[in-house]
Amino acid sequence: MSNLVRNHHAKGRAGRSNPCLGFLASTLSAAVARNGYYIASAWILVDRGYATAGVATFLAIVSVVEFIASPLAGVAADRFDRRCLNVAADLSRFLVMLATACALLYMDVFVIICLSAALFSFCDRVALTSSQSMIP
């Protein structure tokens, strides 16, 4: 390929956005939110006096729900548009976190954290599976 052709193609790409950067930014924000949710939930349980048994129950619920949700998320990623599924799962995770924060003011902490862990883990597994299935 001549230098003229290379320069022409290089100039054409400069104005376009890189979809890889958007995907990496989405993955980074999802990882920060996921880890922040788990750490904050564990701290809340320890702060309210549920100690190691409460945290162990919380993590067991997360693991069991993710184990059960993995095949369901795979089927959903194959059947539906993966980008829309990823966005829907991310929005669902946000809504679960918001509802958990509001419910902590009025209800028992352990029940709310365990219920939100189940919902959040399901949405998280769907989001992870759909984002991984978008990689060519």
Side-chain angles (χ1 to χ4, degrees):
M1 202 184 275
S2 71
N3 287 336
L4 182 61
V5 173
R6 283 189 193 133
N7 289 338
H8 175 71
H9 286 292
K11 288 179 185 175
R13 288 187 182 177
R16 297 182 195 159
S17 65
N18 191 353
C20 184
L21 290 178
F23 179 76
L24 290 175
S26 170
T27 303
L28 177 67
S29 67
V32 168
R34 178 183 322 107
N35 291 329
Y37 170 80
Y38 291 138
I39 290 170
S41 296
W43 277 355
I44 289 170
L45 287 173
V46 170
D47 183 53
R48 297 292 173 94
Y50 291 100
T52 56
V55 174
T57 304
F58 167 72
L59 294 175
I61 289 170
V62 167
S63 297
V64 168
V65 170
E66 286 186 353
F67 179 73
I68 292 170
S70 289
L72 299 173
V75 169
D78 289 340
R79 184 169 297 241
F80 302 111
D81 181 27
R82 293 172 179 137
R83 290 176 290 180
C84 291
L85 189 63
N86 192 6
V87 169
D90 278 339
L91 289 174
S92 299
R93 284 191 295 191
F94 175 73
L95 291 175
V96 167
M97 286 191 290
L98 187 63
T100 301
C102 292
L104 284 175
L105 300 172
Y106 302 108
M107 300 180 74
D108 183 35
V109 171
F110 187 71
V111 173
I112 292 301
I113 295 283
C114 289
L115 181 61
S116 74
L119 295 172
F120 186 87
S121 298
F122 181 80
C123 296
D124 188 50
R125 182 52 49 190
V126 171
L128 285 172
T129 303
S130 63
S131 67
Q132 289 171 352
S133 66
M134 286 190 282
I135 299 172

